[in-house]
Amino acid sequence: MSASTHALYRDKHPVHEELGGYEGAKLGMWLFLATELLLFGVLFALFFIFHGKFLEPFKAAHHTLDKVMGGLNTVVLIVSSLSVALGLDAIQRGRRKLSMICMGITIALAGTFLVVKYFEYSEKFHHHIFPGNATMLKDDAVHEIVSVDDYIARRNMGPEEAADFKKGVNLFFTFYFMMTGVHGLHVIIGMTVLFIIMLKMGGGRYSHWYYTPVENGALYWHLVDLIWIYLFPLFYLIS
Amino acid sequence: MSHADASVSYLQEGRSVWGWLSTTDHKKIGIMYLYTILTFFILAGAAALLVRLELIAPGPTIVDQQVYNILMTFHGAAMVFLFIVPGIPATLGNILLPMMIGAKDVAFPRLNLMSYYVYLVGAMIALISLLSPADTGWTFYAPYSLKSGSLVIWLTLGAFVMGFASIMTGFNFIVTIHRMRCPGLTWNKLPLFIWAMYATSILQVLATPVVGMTLVMLIMERVLDIGIFNPAKGGDPILFESFFWFYSHPVVYIMILPGFGIIGEILPVFSRRPIFGYKAVAYSSLAIALVSFIVWGHHMFVSGMSDWSRWVFSFLTFFVAVPTAIKIFNWIMTLWKGSIHFEAPMLYALGFVFMFSIAGLTGIHLAVLVTDVQLHDTYFVVAHFHYTMQGGTVVALFAGLHYWFPMFTGRRYNEKMAFWGWLMLFIGFNLTFFPQFFLGMEGMPRRYFDYLPQFQTWHAISTVGSWLNGGSYIFILGHLLYAAFRGEKAEQNPYQSLSLEWQTTAPPPTTNFAHTPTFPESIYDYGTMDDGHAGGHSQRKAG
């Protein structure tokens, strides 16, 4: 990518000079992304508070999550981040067709992410795990699915400890569904945004001298990717 | 926009209903916001009058407890989320911000229009809750808000949606101030109102997402029973308070900072003196914005927190007083030896300084740990924040409405009527809320439907005051509305203000200025301009 050539193009078109212009649009987008991070920041902060409060049940519950599926989704999103970046680079160099293909690939990958997520969610629902209600746990040592009650019995917990443990497991899944759910919503929004951008690109709206919305759309998609990069270790890996 | 003729005012262009509803002109959007928020202001004010009427005597008077709680919740929630938070930024801010920095419009005009509609949708969602009105108080504290049988969800969802409107306005303004200042306008020449709007916008962008998510959690809690704030399920209701006030304390400054900005514009003009300590006044806005984020704990002194954190929050809270006092002292120094013109905007501004000083000084009692434990959740607190919000923000809004009235409408209000309106407001407001300080000190708790007979005298005085107060708003708004359409034509710059927004025609054309203006060397340099007034000589030295 040669930054100097498109910097040259960028300054020429009058659209960029209208009102906020290119730099203004970028500044606005970054501010918006900051608010998005704060939105998730609340959830992260709450997660850490409860993680400290319910260390044992959080550890136990995280084993039920499918690391392979989570890992697959991580790879999917990282590749999609690459494809959207390539799409932006293509339009900056005036290669509209190529850019549209890259956008299409990104949208397809986003769809893949949602499909994987669908399988993960339905597996959880199958085991009667809903937000605020968890009955199943995966036992680390024996690799088999056990109910929360069995788990409590095996560890010989007293009634008070058991009640606390149940609350903790419930809260873990609450956070799991809340945070991945809000993230999933962002994936859908991002897909929609990229789809509209792709359509408009087909209509000839963007070119090497005007691609501000494409760049902002790509930035949004990077945010979606970035948040997942934090969610994945938080839920699937840290024990 | 390119076809706009500079001799045609924005009010003459696109006059149809659709022309207004689809406009991207910041001035028209500001005026639409103005009419909308004032409507909610009147509704929420009516609820307040009913609440006060109920409290005129002990025991049930006009409504039962349930209705009382509903009225109180509606009053609080509507005033905060529908009126005072969008208040000055969305109305005067929208109209004035581009004009004061010599720009054609805000950076994202369509986003600006969208923020209006998002606000409207949010307001409608919130009003749906009136079918089974919430009775939680505007703070929605868990766990009661989780249990209340009313439509708490709709009210909080409405607040969540309106939060987006606030965020949009916030980053629209930040980008506008960064990118669209006219030639010659450096940061150290920025009008004080713009500094205030800048600090406000930062708060809107940084604080609103936090409360948005908190309210979403509350909604989830009610819908899915997820247990984050419910102690029975391992959750923690104090966390709700923490997250709520992490936003809602900064929001107090979202309410008041724009008011500071307006006062900073008005005082120099009507005392014909340069603003004293421009940089201190400007930067103190930013300082207030920053400090506001670390003081939320003082709302929770008695909610159960560790002694250490209570000490720390009490200590930190004092810091807000420093930049606030800087402002007040600088305003008073601006008045010093000035030739003061007692026109309506100045009367409101002086009223603001008086009432906000009371608000600030009584705030100290609530920041000090010992006295707060005594005064927490009493009428002292009610009186304190009404002095801030009504005596501060609302009075500042009205100061601004009168001051910029000739520019918005091209017409003059009647000076005599404006004076009587102000006097009614000033007496009515103080009569309503000053007695509440005594009530609070005697131990009358806030939010209560009933009280012991010993409190009745103060309550009765307060209720009578509230009628005068409510009447004054009807009078003032009625007068302004009449003047907007029937008032006599105004000259271009009736106050001989040096600010940029007055240097175009009144009302301005859609593009604000016929040509891109150059920013004046100084917009507060009244001492050197106006030798006709008494004290002109010493002004020049001070300036």
Side-chain angles (χ1 to χ4, degrees):
Chain A
M1 218 187 338
S2 81
S4 57
T5 46
H6 46 88
L8 194 81
Y9 288 127
R10 167 194 304 162
D11 292 333
K12 279 187 175 165
H13 193 264
V15 175
H16 291 314
E17 300 311 316
E18 185 68 18
L19 297 172
Y22 173 80
E23 298 293 337
K26 286 278 287 293
L27 180 58
M29 190 66 198
W30 279 104
L31 285 169
F32 171 66
L33 295 183
T35 67
E36 288 276 41
L37 284 178
L38 283 164
L39 212 74
F40 277 95
V42 175
L43 293 168
F44 277 103
L46 282 169
F47 181 89
F48 280 118
I49 289 165
F50 284 103
H51 184 264
K53 202 172 162 189
F54 295 104
L55 201 54
E56 174 78 6
F58 268 48
K59 269 187 194 173
H62 109 276
H63 286 296
T64 59
L65 300 181
D66 194 328
K67 292 186 186 65
V68 177
M69 284 209 175
L72 175 68
N73 258 350
T74 308
V75 174
V76 165
L77 278 192
I78 289 175
V79 176
S80 76
S81 232
L82 174 68
S83 62
V84 84
L86 289 174
L88 174 63
D89 182 59
I91 196 75
Q92 284 172 335
R93 287 184 287 114
R95 301 185 61 183
R96 204 151 50 95
K97 278 248 169 65
L98 180 65
S99 181
M100 284 175 69
I101 292 169
C102 289
M103 290 296 158
I105 292 172
T106 312
I107 293 164
L109 287 167
T112 313
F113 178 90
L114 289 176
V115 170
V116 174
K117 206 79 229 158
Y118 166 79
F119 283 120
E120 278 193 84
Y121 271 22
S122 46
E123 191 250 1
K124 291 283 165 293
F125 294 157
H126 179 72
H127 288 102
H128 298 284
I129 298 175
F130 304 103
N133 171 39
T135 57
M136 182 273 275
L137 274 177
K138 199 185 247 176
D139 193 307
D140 198 17
V142 288
H143 293 290
E144 68 184 26
I145 288 168
V146 292
S147 73
V148 174
D149 290 328
D150 288 344
Y151 199 95
I152 289 168
R154 276 188 207 180
R155 303 276 155 126
N156 291 325
M157 291 182 188
E160 217 166 283
E161 206 188 337
D164 258 11
F165 184 83
K166 279 187 179 175
K167 285 176 187 169
V169 173
N170 280 334
L171 279 168
F172 177 84
F173 285 107
T174 289
F175 281 110
Y176 169 73
F177 282 109
M178 285 292 294
M179 293 174 83
T180 56
V182 175
H183 176 261
L185 190 67
H186 280 73
V187 173
I188 295 169
I189 295 169
M191 267 176 92
T192 316
V193 168
L194 292 180
F195 185 69
I196 292 168
I197 286 173
M198 195 174 76
L199 284 186
K200 283 191 166 184
M201 211 182 265
R205 182 81 181 85
Y206 309 121
S207 60
H208 61 90
W209 39 254
Y210 179 63
Y211 49 79
T212 314
V214 186
E215 187 163 344
N216 280 344
L219 274 176
Y220 187 81
W221 191 252
H222 289 317
L223 174 89
V224 171
D225 178 36
L226 181 77
I227 288 169
W228 180 256
I229 298 291
Y230 282 95
L231 288 181
F232 175 60
L234 194 68
F235 284 108
Y236 293 79
L237 301 183
I238 295 174
S239 59
Chain B
M1 232 170 285
S2 53
H3 66 275
D5 180 356
S7 61
V8 177
S9 87
Y10 77 104
L11 290 170
Q12 286 162 299
E13 210 174 306
R15 297 178 68 173
S16 64
V17 174
W18 180 245
W20 276 85
L21 294 180
S22 66
T23 183
T24 52
D25 181 356
H26 64 100
K27 299 181 284 301
K28 284 185 170 175
I29 294 171
I31 284 176
M32 289 202 291
Y33 255 125
L34 185 64
Y35 279 110
T36 317
I37 67 159
L38 286 176
T39 309
F40 291 128
F41 173 62
I42 291 167
L43 287 177
L49 289 179
L50 292 174
V51 166
R52 278 261 41 105
L53 185 58
E54 167 56 42
L55 291 168
I56 196 167
T61 317
I62 52 162
V63 293
D64 62 15
Q65 297 100 311
Q66 177 72 11
V67 177
Y68 173 86
N69 284 344
I70 289 168
L71 284 171
M72 185 195 72
T73 302
F74 176 76
H75 166 68
M79 278 295 187
V80 170
F81 294 111
L82 292 165
F83 170 66
I84 211 163
V85 170
I88 296 172
T91 59
L92 295 181
N94 244 332
I95 302 173
L96 292 167
L97 186 128
M99 298 198 63
M100 281 185 158
I101 62 172
K104 270 191 223 166
D105 206 323
V106 290
F108 309 116
R110 279 184 300 170
L111 190 74
N112 200 17
L113 181 65
M114 190 172 148
S115 89
Y116 174 74
Y117 284 111
V118 169
Y119 164 79
L120 211 56
V121 168
M124 292 305 140
I125 293 174
L127 290 181
I128 287 175
S129 73
L130 288 179
L131 295 174
S132 165
D135 54 357
T136 58
W138 77 278
T139 50
F140 313 115
Y141 276 178
Y144 181 65
S145 57
L146 305 176
K147 289 180 180 166
S148 163
S150 56
L151 291 175
V152 175
I153 291 180
W154 289 92
L155 194 54
T156 46
L157 189 67
F160 174 68
V161 173
M162 282 182 279
F164 279 105
S166 190
I167 292 173
M168 284 179 202
T169 307
F171 67 71
N172 213 339
F173 284 1
I174 294 178
V175 175
T176 308
I177 295 168
H178 271 271
R179 304 291 316 164
M180 298 178 65
R181 284 168 286 135
C182 70
L185 180 48
T186 57
W187 283 90
N188 281 334
K189 281 199 218 167
L190 219 52
L192 291 169
F193 182 66
I194 304 297
W195 271 113
M197 291 312 308
Y198 187 66
T200 309
S201 302
I202 292 173
L203 288 181
Q204 283 177 314
V205 169
L206 292 183
T208 319
V210 177
V211 81
M213 208 62 213
T214 309
L215 294 179
V216 168
M217 302 298 267
L218 186 70
I219 293 168
M220 290 294 161
E221 187 99 48
R222 279 184 71 102
V223 178
L224 302 169
D225 197 18
I226 56 176
I228 290 176
F229 301 129
N230 186 353
K233 303 203 95 189
D236 187 350
I238 304 287
L239 269 181
F240 179 85
E241 287 188 41
S242 271
F243 278 101
F244 182 84
W245 286 111
F246 182 78
Y247 161 79
S248 295
H249 194 77
V251 96
V252 172
Y253 297 96
I254 294 180
M255 298 172 194
I256 196 69
L257 276 171
F260 290 161
I262 290 173
I263 303 309
E265 295 296 324
I266 289 176
L267 289 182
V269 176
F270 290 89
S271 52
R272 312 313 290 176
R273 290 269 288 138
I275 185 83
F276 186 88
Y278 164 85
K279 278 191 187 172
V281 179
Y283 296 154
S284 61
S285 291
L286 291 177
I288 289 171
L290 292 177
V291 177
S292 73
F293 273 105
I294 49 173
V295 300
W296 80 91
H298 69 234
H299 292 269
M300 301 158 64
F301 282 160
V302 299
S303 306
M305 63 195 315
S306 72
D307 280 349
W308 270 109
S309 31
R310 292 205 280 182
W311 284 27
V312 170
F313 276 120
S314 177
F315 181 67
L316 291 175
T317 303
F318 296 143
F319 282 136
V320 184
V322 176
T324 315
I326 288 175
K327 279 186 190 295
I328 295 202
F329 292 143
N330 280 302
W331 291 333
I332 292 170
M333 280 309 288
T334 306
L335 295 169
W336 179 253
K337 286 188 178 172
S339 110
I340 294 172
H341 298 240
F342 288 103
E343 288 175 62
M346 187 60 165
L347 290 172
Y348 278 101
L350 294 174
F352 174 97
V353 174
F354 174 77
M355 290 186 273
F356 189 78
S357 299
I358 292 177
L361 292 171
T362 52
I364 295 171
H365 301 76
L366 303 173
V368 175
L369 197 48
V370 188
T371 42
D372 181 73
V373 170
Q374 179 71 24
L375 295 170
H376 185 87
D377 271 350
T378 66
Y379 265 75
F380 192 90
V381 178
V382 177
H384 161 72
F385 73 72
H386 278 91
Y387 264 89
T388 318
M389 294 183 192
Q390 197 190 149
T393 313
V394 179
V395 166
L397 172 68
F398 279 36
L401 279 181
H402 283 85
Y403 175 50
W404 283 291
F405 192 83
M407 199 192 79
F408 297 166
T409 61
R411 292 175 189 274
R412 293 304 308 265
Y413 55 84
N414 183 307
E415 195 58 52
K416 236 179 211 160
M417 301 274 271
F419 170 76
W420 287 112
W422 172 80
L423 194 65
M424 264 170 85
L425 174 59
F426 189 79
I427 295 172
F429 171 79
N430 284 298
L431 199 58
T432 312
F433 292 104
F434 208 79
Q436 296 186 1
F437 285 121
F438 300 121
L439 273 177
M441 283 189 283
E442 287 168 13
M444 168 78 206
R446 70 195 272 203
R447 298 194 178 109
Y448 277 32
F449 164 75
D450 199 3
Y451 54 83
L452 297 171
Q454 73 206 55
F455 297 122
Q456 200 196 341
T457 315
W458 291 126
H459 269 301
I461 294 173
S462 182
T463 301
V464 172
S466 73
W467 298 332
L468 192 59
N469 198 10
S472 73
Y473 285 120
I474 302 296
F475 180 80
I476 295 163
L477 291 173
H479 163 233
L480 286 183
L481 195 66
Y482 175 82
F485 295 99
R486 293 277 176 277
E488 58 177 288
K489 288 257 185 286
E491 55 203 295
Q492 187 183 327
N493 183 357
Y495 311 112
Q496 277 111 55
S497 165
L498 297 174
S499 303
L500 188 59
E501 79 271 18
W502 288 104
Q503 312 308 321
T504 181
T505 50
T510 300
T511 53
N512 295 344
F513 299 93
H515 307 285
T516 307
T518 307
F519 201 77
E521 197 43 50
S522 171
I523 55 169
Y524 298 112
D525 216 0
Y526 292 101
T528 50
M529 182 201 92
D530 197 2
D531 276 20
H533 287 292
H537 183 63
S538 59
Q539 279 164 12
R540 211 177 317 200
K541 269 198 247 164

